[in-house]
Amino acid sequence: MVNSDNLNLLLKVNGTQHTLQIDPRVTLLDALREKIGLTGTKKGCDRGQCGACTVLVDGRRINSCLTLAVMYQETEITTIEELAKGDELHPMQAAFIKHDGFQCGYCTPGQIMSAVGLLAEGCPSDDAEIKECMSGNICRCSAYPGIVAAIQEVRQMQPNL
Amino acid sequence: MNKTIGKPINRVDGRLKVTGEAKYSGEIPLENIAYGVIITSTIARGRIKHINTSVAEKSPGVIGIITHLDAPKLYARPNFGHEGAAGEKLAPLQNSTIYYSGQAIGVAIADTLERATYAASLVKVDYVVETPLTEMGKERDRAYPIEKFVEFTVEFALGDADAEFAKAEVKIEATYTTPTEHHNPMEPHATAAVWEGENLTVYDSTQYIFGMREGLAKMLGIPHANVRVLCKFIGGSFGCKYGLWAHTPLAAIAARQFRRPVKIVLTREQMFGLVGHRSETEQQIKLGATPEGRLTALIHQGISQTSIFDEFVETFTTTSRTMYAVPNLRTAQSVVPLNKGTPTIMRAPGESVGTFALESAMDELAWALKLDPIELRLRNYAEVHPARQVPWSSKSLKECYALAAEKFGWSRRTPEPGSMRDDRYLIGMGMASACFPMEHFPASAIARIFADGSVVVQSGSQEIGTGTATVMAQLTADMLGVPVEKVRFEFGDTELARSPGTVGSGTAASVGTAVHGAAKAVRAKVVALAQKDPNSPLYGVPEPDIETSQERIFVKNNSAKGETYQAVLARHNLEYIDANFDAKPEEEEEFAKCSFGAHFVEVRVDPELGEVRLTRVVGAFAAGRILNEKTARSQISGATIMGIGMALHEETITDPHTGRIVNDNLAEYHLPVNADIPPIDIYFIDEVDTHVNPIGVKGAGEVGITGIIAAIANAIYHATGKRIRDLPITPDKLL
């Protein structure tokens, strides 16, 4: 019998502390979506194969489906909901709209978080390298050309980001 | 004010999608929600001998388990092509028979997803296992011919193709095979069912809310007026979210039985069994031609898979009856029932894989004749629809060939295979035609202008990412002379005006015509009010002299003489004014209607590793009026990339012994990723088509996936001299 007694857990998401009582089997992704109600982060495969669940943990991009929520106390978790400041979109969000870097929009939060993470890692300038760095995020609508164009635009706008 | 139609304006729902605010079907907050996890069969043929739920039922948090032993009666629906159709003619949990691996055999309901998932794993099933029929080639004796599939012609003959082929001076005869493929939209199917008394509300990721309502009501045996289906955002679909599959009725019966809302979201693995696929195909093409390159005979025939209990046909011969002027033409298809799920429509069902065969064969003929592939196509250009012998509503395929060839630099190509190199890599250039029939379905819409000047237009359609919400807002805005930002398009709710499913590239044409008509009708109502009102500057002005722009109605060439919509509504003390419009496709058969295009592809092949990289894709398309250049380009580009996946990557592999899918995940079922995709240049040919519908739209959602596979295969032949007739073209086939 698997022990599913609930654990007390403190998760800091987008600067807000959330006290949760959850089953230790809950993934970080399911904690965000089903417990906290932040559904911007998407579940595409639940196996770390599609990237729709990408969030930043202490600024680094990870697949939130592939890890358990209990492992992330005392970290800063950033999701898509945190990027825009009020009415003002993050430059990456604005660039995705401008270059039509999405269609159905389901993989989009993961793409954008991955792109923001990539900029922080030191984004390559070459299209081919950007494509390689973004290949953990699948888009079945295949808005790939727009995604690369959006990243290039933000990279060039904010070389020090 | 500038008109917006045709312009590359941004998506109206872009902000919601990039901020994560867009709520998809599995994300609607519902009080006291319970989670359902479907249990699926692990055998492909046989029956359930025992199913033991006792341990699972005692697991913490479990609300209940439903299996065939205790499921309520559900009424099977016919599959595809009927109103309220299901994906498969198999109501779930009605008996113990297993027809395919991954079939729904139960559902576990618990208070959390984790507890439901664990409970589902505790259900013990003993089967009586029979040997499944899994290989189409081995079971070809079981094939039976198809005359017609729903309304689609399959069996067809013009002239005497067999006799003419036999005596043709130049002949091509080849067999092309394509594997099973899965749609894999990024959003797994999700449904949440909520009962209030006798009334059921379902939040469902569906391409067809009205079809879902009809089908679900009939499956449950309740009046369809008691069912409301909502779908505000849908994370891709490509065909697999068109029919009604097991998860939706299972959520509905569980929610009824346990008296609380139930949500079921499929796992990615379940997306490979519960919701359809594109059938594998084996296609034979015979082309007969004169030495000058005139086709004298075309025969296209072959087999595809269906399930044991349904008849679904991947109609791969369609384009062969449409594309070339050939006096002797025969098409025929058979299906082979196997212990696999029922196939379903997947982006350009038939045309995508059919054009791989036809356009590869045309390339083979061009080589045999030592003719340029474009020249061969021009010599057989169909000035009228070859099978129906009626003129085209519009056709700009010649212009597509010319423009795409020029932009691509086709003239730089040296014809001999293997003649172009870049260092140690072989370079190849290939081309193919693209073609997809225009579909037009009945649709209705309501347009409403409010006292504050804002506009709402409604139609119970779906926005699957094609840009529907954006182009509907544009059509309304332009008709009323208001900015797009002032218009809100409401959709995705069966309480709204009836609309068709989002299929067949037909939404812009169908719903667009309804929206255009409703906006025109509400404008006319406002104008009529003003004309009859002595207090209006437009009093007595005849309708043809009135124009709309800048949120005003005014006299043509005298914009000072007019007033705002608000002023008209305020004077008449109206909160709003609205009008509806029912758009029906014209039944006339005097024209054939298709979108056309041409794909040009350059590949780089590593001769030692067999690796194929695309380096450039250029396409030109003529699809009637383009409503939004940005979203239309994304449609064609996205379809092209899906075609690249079919050409080089995608293949669902079934273990022939057990009938189980081996690669039911996104690591082993290879979808194209960003690094696979070269620059893709899409050009549009302006077309004014006055025959198709009042807005001149032919549709752009699927034409991009036709022809592209053959263009890649043809480029690979040009690079290597190897003709690969079996998809996907993986490195092993080139070594």
Side-chain angles (χ1 to χ4, degrees):
Chain A
M1 176 69 99
V2 169
N3 182 352
S4 64
D5 290 340
N6 286 349
L7 299 176
N8 287 318
L9 175 68
L10 203 60
L11 273 190
K12 192 174 177 191
V13 184
N14 301 333
T16 304
Q17 294 280 6
H18 296 269
T19 309
L20 304 174
Q21 280 206 319
I22 58 171
D23 189 322
R25 294 171 294 186
V26 175
T27 62
L28 178 58
L29 173 61
D30 287 328
L32 292 169
R33 285 172 61 82
E34 306 293 339
K35 310 296 176 190
I36 300 174
L38 290 173
T39 53
T41 308
K42 305 302 183 194
K43 184 186 283 189
C45 70
D46 223 12
R47 292 288 182 276
Q49 297 167 344
C50 78
C53 64
T54 305
V55 299
L56 303 181
V57 174
D58 296 331
R60 189 160 170 262
R61 47 183 176 154
I62 67 161
N63 288 323
S64 63
C65 75
L66 214 53
T67 191
L68 299 172
V70 292
M71 298 160 67
Y72 290 90
Q73 302 197 77
E74 294 168 25
T75 63
E76 297 272 349
I77 299 158
T78 309
T79 71
I80 190 72
E81 285 89 350
E82 179 65 2
L83 287 194
K85 301 298 174 203
D87 281 348
E88 194 186 335
L89 294 176
H90 185 284
M92 193 63 78
Q93 293 172 313
F96 265 66
I97 293 178
K98 178 179 163 190
H99 293 284
D100 216 28
F102 57 92
Q103 292 185 36
C104 77
Y106 196 79
C107 74
T108 312
Q111 298 278 358
I112 291 175
M113 295 313 288
S114 194
V116 169
L118 176 60
L119 286 182
E121 290 160 24
C123 182
S125 59
D126 182 57
D127 272 3
E129 286 184 56
I130 290 175
K131 289 177 189 178
E132 195 64 45
C133 293
M134 288 297 293
S135 281
N137 291 84
I138 299 177
C139 173
R140 185 54 154 164
C141 301
S142 293
Y144 296 128
I147 292 168
V148 175
I151 294 171
Q152 282 288 22
E153 177 172 301
V154 180
R155 183 188 67 79
Q156 285 158 22
M157 264 164 42
Q158 306 186 323
N160 300 319
L161 201 145
Chain B
M1 187 185 313
N2 292 330
K3 298 288 185 189
T4 69
I5 290 299
K7 302 235 169 75
I9 70 161
N10 292 336
R11 287 170 196 269
V12 296
D13 53 3
R15 191 183 178 90
L16 290 172
K17 288 177 175 174
V18 300
T19 55
E21 284 171 40
K23 293 266 184 224
Y24 295 77
S25 296
E27 302 172 345
I28 310 296
L30 295 166
E31 248 348 273
N32 198 31
I33 190 94
Y35 293 78
V37 170
I38 295 180
I39 304 154
T40 57
S41 70
T42 57
I43 66 160
R45 185 184 183 188
R47 64 180 177 83
I48 299 167
K49 191 160 64 175
H50 300 295
I51 187 162
N52 185 338
T53 59
S54 59
V55 178
E57 275 162 4
K58 291 185 199 109
S59 181
V62 170
I63 296 162
I65 315 279
I66 305 174
T67 70
H68 72 281
L69 298 176
D70 53 7
K73 169 76 184 164
L74 291 170
Y75 300 88
R77 301 289 307 140
N79 92 304
F80 197 74
H82 303 268
E83 205 46 43
E88 56 184 10
K89 190 180 68 191
L90 192 68
L93 315 190
Q94 298 303 295
N95 59 51
S96 62
T97 311
I98 304 296
Y99 297 99
Y100 63 94
S101 173
Q103 185 181 323
I105 57 168
V107 58
I109 313 293
D111 58 354
T112 70
L113 175 62
E114 294 72 23
R115 287 167 153 184
T117 304
Y118 184 56
S121 77
L122 295 175
V123 173
K124 295 286 173 243
V125 189
D126 286 331
Y127 297 99
V128 175
V129 185
E130 294 172 48
T131 306
L133 308 171
T134 60
E135 290 176 277
M136 191 170 78
K138 280 195 181 163
E139 308 299 339
R140 66 176 69 246
D141 291 349
R142 297 172 190 269
Y144 62 91
I146 299 294
E147 208 172 299
K148 233 174 163 202
F149 176 54
V150 198
E151 76 268 34
F152 306 106
T153 303
V154 175
E155 194 177 295
F156 178 83
L158 173 74
D160 190 343
D162 293 277
E164 290 300 322
F165 176 75
K167 62 185 187 208
E169 288 186 62
V170 185
K171 292 179 193 182
I172 295 293
E173 181 173 354
T175 299
Y176 303 85
T177 52
T178 68
T180 300
E181 290 148 351
H182 278 83
H183 312 66
N184 277 310
M186 297 319 294
E187 178 206 25
H189 293 58
T191 193
V194 187
W195 288 88
E196 284 171 287
E198 298 298 305
N199 293 316
L200 171 66
T201 300
V202 178
Y203 301 87
D204 195 86
S205 51
T206 174
Q207 280 169 259
Y208 188 18
I209 53 172
F210 283 94
M212 177 61 74
R213 178 177 75 166
E214 187 93 9
L216 190 56
K218 285 187 170 148
M219 190 172 268
L220 293 167
I222 62 176
H224 76 254
N226 291 14
V227 180
R228 180 180 181 186
V229 179
L230 295 110
C231 179
K232 296 295 182 187
F233 287 93
I234 178 167
S237 38
F238 314 110
C240 67
K241 291 175 179 168
Y242 181 60
L244 159 71
W245 302 99
H247 57 282
T248 308
L250 290 182
I253 62 171
R256 188 171 59 189
Q257 182 167 338
F258 303 118
R259 297 176 182 279
R260 61 193 280 188
V262 169
K263 170 162 90 173
I264 295 178
V265 181
L266 300 191
T267 65
R268 182 55 61 182
E269 292 80 352
Q270 290 174 341
M271 299 286 291
F272 284 83
L274 284 169
V275 292
H277 57 273
R278 191 199 297 281
S279 165
E280 60 192 302
T281 71
E282 183 190 287
Q283 308 174 48
Q284 184 190 43
I285 299 244
K286 294 180 185 178
L287 298 178
T290 66
E292 297 75 39
R294 310 256 175 225
L295 285 172
T296 54
L298 193 173
I299 298 166
H300 191 171
Q301 56 194 355
I303 53 176
S304 63
Q305 171 254 325
T306 189
S307 62
I308 300 293
F309 51 91
D310 268 323
E311 183 177 294
F312 185 92
V313 186
E314 181 78 15
T315 51
F316 52 74
T317 51
T318 307
T319 314
S320 293
R321 293 185 299 273
T322 313
M323 203 63 198
Y324 297 110
V326 54
N328 302 284
L329 173 60
R330 184 169 69 76
T331 62
Q333 290 191 228
S334 299
V335 291
V336 182
L338 297 179
N339 287 105
K340 297 183 174 185
T342 305
T344 197
I345 49 169
M346 181 164 164
R347 204 172 200 172
E351 290 87 354
S352 53
V353 288
T355 51
F356 162 58
L358 175 66
E359 289 294 288
S360 291
M362 285 297 281
D363 201 65
E364 299 199 40
L365 180 61
W367 290 109
L369 293 163
K370 300 209 181 315
L371 258 184
D372 182 279
I374 304 174
E375 180 56 30
L376 175 65
R377 285 164 173 83
L378 292 174
R379 287 188 191 177
N380 294 284
Y381 196 79
E383 298 290 356
V384 297
H385 189 286
R388 291 172 49 204
Q389 291 294 310
V390 293
W392 302 100
S393 64
S394 60
K395 180 176 180 178
S396 310
L397 179 57
K398 274 182 188 165
E399 292 81 352
C400 292
Y401 291 140
L403 179 65
E406 184 215 320
K407 298 287 183 186
F408 181 82
W410 183 253
S411 59
R412 295 201 302 274
R413 172 179 179 266
T414 56
E416 214 40 48
S419 64
M420 298 181 80
R421 279 181 170 261
D422 175 11
D423 193 17
R424 69 187 188 87
Y425 298 106
L426 299 166
I427 303 298
M429 295 182 177
M431 62 80 60
S433 319
C435 169
F436 194 80
M438 185 251 169
E439 299 272 12
H440 194 168
F441 312 103
S444 300
I446 295 174
R448 186 169 293 152
I449 304 172
F450 286 89
D452 68 354
S454 65
V455 177
V456 168
V457 61
Q458 299 175 323
S459 184
S461 184
Q462 302 74 211
E463 165 61 280
I464 64 171
T466 52
T468 300
T470 307
V471 300
M472 297 310 152
Q474 286 178 265
L475 284 165
T476 309
D478 281 12
M479 176 57 72
L480 296 178
V482 303
V484 172
E485 302 76 54
K486 283 257 174 170
V487 180
R488 194 168 75 246
F489 178 58
E490 294 181 346
F491 60 94
D493 184 346
T494 50
E495 301 284 289
L496 301 176
R498 192 175 177 110
S499 238
T502 302
V503 287
S505 301
T507 301
S510 311
V511 182
T513 299
V515 161
H516 174 265
K520 194 173 176 181
V522 76
R523 182 188 123 140
K525 275 192 175 177
V526 175
V527 166
L529 280 180
Q531 286 168 323
K532 285 185 224 144
D533 181 355
N535 294 322
S536 169
L538 296 170
Y539 180 61
V541 178
E543 211 276 335
D545 294 346
I546 293 177
E547 205 172 287
T548 54
S549 180
Q550 311 279 358
E551 303 177 57
R552 296 172 75 248
I553 53 176
F554 53 85
V555 175
K556 250 181 211 167
N557 304 321
N558 181 8
S559 64
K561 194 176 174 190
E563 59 181 331
T564 63
Y565 290 109
Q566 282 125 298
V568 180
L569 267 75
R571 224 172 27 249
H572 291 83
N573 213 11
L574 292 170
E575 196 185 323
Y576 63 81
I577 186 162
D578 62 9
N580 66 339
F581 188 80
D582 299 322
K584 291 192 177 56
E586 288 172 33
E587 294 299 328
E588 45 89 11
E589 293 291 322
E590 41 188 317
F591 294 103
K593 302 161 188 176
C594 282
S595 294
F596 288 97
H599 283 288
F600 286 72
V601 170
E602 183 183 274
V603 297
R604 193 186 68 180
V605 182
D606 186 323
E608 282 149 47
L609 300 176
E611 184 199 27
V612 177
R613 301 289 299 179
L614 267 64
T615 46
R616 295 189 297 132
V617 177
V618 176
F621 295 85
R625 176 181 283 168
I626 298 302
L627 297 177
N628 181 321
E629 205 254 6
K630 184 176 285 195
T631 55
R633 178 181 306 278
S634 290
Q635 278 287 286
I636 304 254
S637 168
T640 300
I641 294 172
M642 195 177 262
I644 294 172
M646 291 170 71
L648 299 178
H649 310 300
E650 293 182 40
E651 176 175 23
T652 302
I653 298 163
T654 302
D655 172 28
H657 305 292
T658 62
R660 304 268 293 160
I661 292 172
V662 174
N663 57 338
D664 54 356
N665 60 77
L666 297 183
E668 293 167 292
Y669 183 93
H670 295 154
L671 301 178
V673 298
N674 214 323
D676 294 316
I677 303 310
I680 294 179
D681 294 323
I682 306 291
Y683 298 89
F684 290 108
I685 304 286
D686 284 335
E687 255 185 349
V688 178
D689 189 325
T690 54
H691 302 300
V692 279
N693 48 53
I695 55 174
V697 167
K698 289 202 286 190
E702 289 161 281
V703 66
I705 200 172
T706 69
I708 179 66
I709 307 169
I712 295 168
N714 297 344
I716 290 170
Y717 177 77
H718 180 231
T720 64
K722 290 177 182 158
R723 177 66 63 182
I724 309 300
R725 303 186 185 91
D726 177 44
L727 297 184
I729 306 174
T730 43
D732 52 301
K733 294 173 188 170
L734 289 167
L735 290 175

